[in-house]
Amino acid sequence: MLVLITGASAGFGAATARLLIQRGHRVIITARRQQRLHALQQELGANCFALAFDISDEQATSSALQSLPPEWQQIDLLVNNAGLALGIDAAQNSNLADWKQMIATNISGLVSITHAVLPGMVARNRGHIINLGSIAGDYPYPGGNVYGATKAFVKQFSLNLRADLVGTAVRVSNVEPGLCGGTEFSKVRFHGDDTKAAALYSNVDYLSAEDIAETIVWIAERPAHVNINRIEIMPVAQAPAGLTVKKKV
């Protein structure tokens, strides 16, 4: 199986690349950070191909895919992992640039690369797209505003792709993790504030990047007639619990 993973320089993407290589697949790793990609490619060996570009740049995405050698072009699995959250402020206090960057990466970038890769899958009548959503796309919380909205888009886009692809052998899945530590996600969200990021995971048995990677690979390796539409994963320590009610003073 030939796999393309976006956002593969760290976190879920890097963990998934490692596991897929271990299981004998060939993997194209993509991300913005060329040095990190190169280091991961060196670690993973000849069955790994590194491609550095910014997925929020449509032209860069197109050019990068077109530059792939012929033997790396027929992608069987696209893992749309690239994404980020920025800020945790209430909507009225949020930074508009953060909102736009989340939309550009989590929605526009995902849509652009899917649009580029999907026709080949349909033409070959095989393939699988696994999108990385989030429980934030299902459960609102204070400060989730645009991040949660982008992940709700990912969920609905995944389901609508399934509707369009009925009659083909192409599969689409959406993986929706809950609280997951050991990645750069919260550090990015808190704009580099390590103290705030660490506090979020203090004294919690959170999910790991490897937990999510194992789930992605399990979905990808189901029999060809099986499609996992969506899967929601939380640590035991987390649960969707109640609605906030503000009492009068």
Side-chain angles (χ1 to χ4, degrees), residues 211-246:
D211 293 328
I212 305 307
E214 288 173 3
T215 302
I216 291 168
V217 174
W218 176 80
I219 291 171
E221 293 184 341
R222 292 308 84 212
H225 69 286
V226 175
N227 192 93
I228 306 300
N229 292 336
R230 55 185 292 262
I231 186 166
E232 179 182 298
I233 314 164
M234 293 183 185
V236 174
Q238 185 180 38
L243 297 172
T244 300
V245 176
K246 178 65 175 177

Side-chain angles (χ1 to χ4, degrees), residues 121-122 125-126 162 164-171:
M121 291 182 173
V122 173
N125 198 34
R126 71 173 190 272
R162 286 278 294 123
D164 286 343
L165 292 166
V166 169
T168 77
V170 180
R171 301 184 289 174

Side-chain angles (χ1 to χ4, degrees), residues 53-63 104 109 112:
F53 63 93
D54 184 347
I55 199 170
S56 67
D57 183 333
E58 183 178 346
Q59 185 56 54
T61 299
S62 177
S63 297
S112 294

Side-chain angles (χ1 to χ4, degrees), residues 3 12 14 34 46 57 67 75 91-92 103 114 129 134 150-151 153 172 175 182 190 202 210 225 242 244:
V3 184
F12 300 163
Q34 190 164 7
D57 183 333
S67 75
I75 296 163
Q92 65 272 22
I103 292 167
T114 300
I129 296 170
S134 168
T150 65
K151 293 304 183 178
F153 174 91
V172 183
V175 178
F190 293 123
S202 178
E210 288 72 25
H225 69 286
T244 300

Side-chain angles (χ1 to χ4, degrees), residues 150-195:
T150 65
K151 293 304 183 178
F153 174 91
V154 172
K155 177 179 71 174
Q156 196 62 26
F157 182 57
S158 301
L159 293 173
N160 277 281
L161 284 175
R162 286 278 294 123
D164 286 343
L165 292 166
V166 169
T168 77
V170 180
R171 301 184 289 174
V172 183
S173 305
N174 188 33
V175 178
E176 304 174 9
L179 185 67
C180 186
T183 74
E184 299 176 351
F185 177 84
S186 289
K187 182 176 180 178
V188 171
R189 182 168 214 169
F190 293 123
H191 297 284
D193 190 325
D194 289 321
T195 302

Side-chain angles (χ1 to χ4, degrees), residues 2 26 28 49 68-74:
L2 177 57
R26 293 190 301 145
I28 303 165
F49 188 94
L68 285 168
E71 65 273 21
W72 291 90
Q73 288 184 0
Q74 294 193 1

